[in-house]
Amino acid sequence: GELEPIELVLTMLLSDLASVPMQDFDSPLINGVVPILTLLALTTLLSYISFRSGRFRSLICGEPAIVVRYGKLQQRAMRRMTVDELLEELRGQGVTELKDVQYAVLETSGQVSVLLRPQAQPVTPRQLSLNVKEQLLPVLLINDGRLLRDNMKKMDVDDDWLRRRTRLRCFSCPWTRGAT
């Protein structure tokens, strides 16, 4: 489901071409290397052309298809997916009722993107006019009993701040010596 169709075909062809010289000891190795390099060059050329041309890209990679529009299944767009697969994808994204879906799009990667109707979307702090503190990534300051000084500098904290936050009274730890 992750590979484009052309990538899948390329992978199969490359594995087949690589296996021929390994199985036939009488043929020279170059008989396997030349077709592989040719195939890789053609693939690179196709990638370049698809990068430059939108029409060629849609021909090679396909286009996204809207499979649900305002809670109704779009049967014509469902050629590549069964209803059971669609419902499984929706459940995986927390959608239990089809009527809650404004749009569901079958992407070229095989994934389904879902846009819920406004009344089915979760409430955000902005909608409730709440001021929320910015959420930061956690930073490790102590690892295996050792202080990570570089991380402390990045966080702009010192030993005293760390001692207050952790309430450490470990007299064998070098950063708490002299603390009472």
Side-chain angles (χ1 to χ4, degrees):
E2 298 289 326
L3 293 175
E4 297 286 338
I6 196 154
E7 292 171 339
L8 178 64
V9 170
L10 176 68
T11 304
M12 301 295 282
L13 284 173
L14 285 176
S15 64
D16 190 43
L17 288 172
S19 69
V20 170
M22 287 189 259
Q23 293 172 351
D24 187 10
F25 295 114
D26 293 334
S27 70
L29 186 60
I30 196 78
N31 289 352
V33 173
V34 169
I36 289 173
L37 290 177
T38 304
L39 196 57
L40 289 174
L42 284 173
T43 303
T44 304
L45 179 65
L46 287 176
S47 294
Y48 178 77
I49 293 171
S50 69
F51 178 72
R52 292 289 185 189
S53 170
R55 281 187 183 167
F56 187 76
R57 181 175 41 252
S58 66
L59 175 71
I60 296 295
C61 300
E63 292 184 358
I66 298 175
V67 291
V68 177
R69 187 183 307 250
Y70 295 105
K72 304 254 189 264
L73 289 175
Q74 303 297 304
Q75 292 294 334
R76 285 191 162 187
M78 300 267 311
R79 291 178 294 201
R80 296 181 274 168
M81 174 180 249
T82 66
V83 175
D84 292 338
E85 291 171 335
L86 174 64
L87 294 176
E88 180 182 341
E89 286 284 333
L90 292 176
R91 284 191 304 271
Q93 295 190 31
V95 178
T96 56
E97 294 191 39
L98 197 59
K99 67 178 182 166
D100 291 340
V101 177
Q102 186 166 347
Y103 293 104
V105 179
L106 177 60
E107 305 291 352
T108 58
S109 65
Q111 300 292 328
V112 175
S113 300
V114 178
L115 176 66
L116 296 174
R117 290 180 185 238
Q119 60 270 23
Q121 292 179 1
V123 178
T124 64
R126 182 188 302 167
Q127 291 169 328
L128 297 174
S129 300
L130 295 176
N131 289 330
V132 181
K133 285 185 178 179
E134 184 177 329
Q135 195 170 8
L136 302 174
L137 289 173
V139 176
L140 191 62
L141 298 178
I142 303 172
N143 188 17
D144 293 331
R146 287 189 224 121
L147 285 178
L148 302 177
R149 296 282 178 191
D150 290 339
N151 288 356
M152 289 178 66
K153 285 179 186 175
K154 289 176 189 173
M155 294 293 297
D156 194 28
V157 297
D158 58 6
D159 292 351
D160 291 330
W161 178 90
L162 185 62
R163 196 175 299 116
R164 286 190 308 272
R165 294 292 289 185
T166 58
R167 296 183 186 150
L168 287 177
R169 298 294 182 241
C170 173
F171 293 101
S172 64
C173 299
W175 65 90
T176 60
R177 285 198 186 117
T180 55

